[in-house]
Amino acid sequence: MLNRHYKRRAALGLGGVLAMAAIAVSTAAHAQPQGNYPDKPIQLIVPYSAGGPTDVAARVMAQALSQRIGQNIVVMSMPGAGGVIGTDAVNRAKPDGYTLLFAVNSMAIFPYTRSAKNPLPFDPNGFAPIGSVAESAHVIVANKNLGIKTIADLVAAAKKKPDVYSFGSAGIGGTTHLPIALFAHRAGIKLLHVPYKGAAPAMSDTMAGVVSISGPGYTDAVKAAIDNGTLVALATTSAKRLPFLPNVPTLAEQGYPDMVFPIWYAMFAPKGTPDNVVEKLNAALKAMASDAAYQKQQAAQGNVVTYMTPPQVAGMLKTDIAKLGTRLKDAGINLEE
């Protein structure tokens, strides 16, 4: 009887050891370097609508990156909830380097968009940064039939008719929402916010007169609409005038020096992605940053190519999150859903 008892304990102990060993092997395999990476197509998720500035920048980058690493990169637009849906899809993906995120600086806004009762399904700082891609700025544009030609015109009109003038964005807390929301607060005007699933439909409805203004990131499509008179450019959110729109003044020039909102684009992977995968992708981005042809392609969309290491991207995101928290508090703006 006693002998059977010890045999049973030994068996249980062996089972526990084997179970722990299986977990260890599984974990090790999960974190193992991908020696032949990439040996199949990579999915690059853009958490905004197809045709918008983020999507366009991503497709230009994906084409160049694909040539560098010798593998197809499939760009998938996954809009919704101001970028949360697509971002969470990457958060939940297997960390093997085959599902990546093309992010914009809305990553720094996400922490302020949800309440404790409705938390984000991910931690913006919980991804594996790969590297920066480019920088740009927003262009505040108005419907041509409004008779509004400048920021001063907009402020005067909105003060006469509070909540009559509206602005479209890619969603609450997105990069096309906050610049105009913070500007409206700074200018002392009330604008009705109309969220869309992306910047492209918001801009289309601005052209159609469904909403009064919007603030898409610069693209050649935005410039074309301005050049043909479909949209009226009121201001840019850059620190200085965009070389692509030399006749459009910045918000800072028009009396709002603290209203500077640059756009940055960067790539991230799910937490736990092998270091060698991150290193390979970052090395490709570094080489692309000095490629004149690629620089020209991004410039055609109003983007200036940048290069940052993973730690630098992580630091930039943390700094932006902290700065935005102060800015929102000072303006008394609550983005929580």
Side-chain angles (χ1 to χ4, degrees), residues 13-14 57 70 115 142 144 181 189 200 213 216 219-220 241 245 248 255 260 266-267 269 300 311 317 323 325 336-337:
L14 179 59
S115 66
K144 65 178 181 179
I189 59 176
I213 67 171
T219 63
D220 57 350
R241 295 195 185 197
L245 292 173
V248 180
V260 176
M267 262 210 311
L317 178 57
K323 285 182 177 179
E336 292 182 357
E337 294 182 350

Side-chain angles (χ1 to χ4, degrees), residues 9 12 20 48 56 84-85 128-129 149 188-189 199 207 211 217 232 240 253 269 272 274 279 281:
R9 289 190 63 184
L12 287 173
M20 291 297 291
Y48 301 99
V56 172
V84 171
I85 292 175
K149 305 296 183 183
I189 59 176
M207 290 189 283
V211 291
V232 178
K240 57 183 180 180
E253 285 182 76
E279 290 166 3
L281 292 171

Side-chain angles (χ1 to χ4, degrees), residues 217-298:
Y218 177 94
T219 63
D220 57 350
V222 173
K223 187 176 188 301
I226 293 169
D227 289 345
N228 65 28
T230 306
L231 292 173
V232 178
L234 306 181
T236 65
T237 64
S238 47
K240 57 183 180 180
R241 295 195 185 197
L242 296 177
F244 323 104
L245 292 173
N247 297 322
V248 180
T250 65
L251 278 173
E253 285 182 76
Q254 299 183 74
Y256 303 92
D258 54 337
M259 295 289 105
V260 176
F261 305 97
I263 300 171
W264 55 253
Y265 298 117
M267 262 210 311
F268 293 81
K271 183 179 180 180
T273 298
D275 290 343
N276 74 306
V277 169
V278 172
E279 290 166 3
K280 183 166 187 175
L281 292 171
N282 181 268
L285 291 177
K286 183 177 182 180
M288 288 160 55
S290 58
D291 185 321
Y294 172 63
Q295 291 174 353
K296 187 175 180 180
Q297 288 176 321
Q298 285 289 15

Side-chain angles (χ1 to χ4, degrees), residues 46-92:
V46 178
Y48 301 99
S49 62
T54 305
D55 179 71
V56 172
R59 292 179 189 277
V60 173
M61 186 278 302
Q63 183 179 16
L65 182 59
S66 176
Q67 294 171 353
R68 288 278 174 183
I69 63 176
Q71 189 56 260
N72 289 334
I73 298 177
V74 181
V75 179
M76 181 178 180
S77 175
M78 193 178 292
V84 171
I85 292 175
T87 304
D88 188 42
V90 178
N91 172 57
R92 296 173 183 274

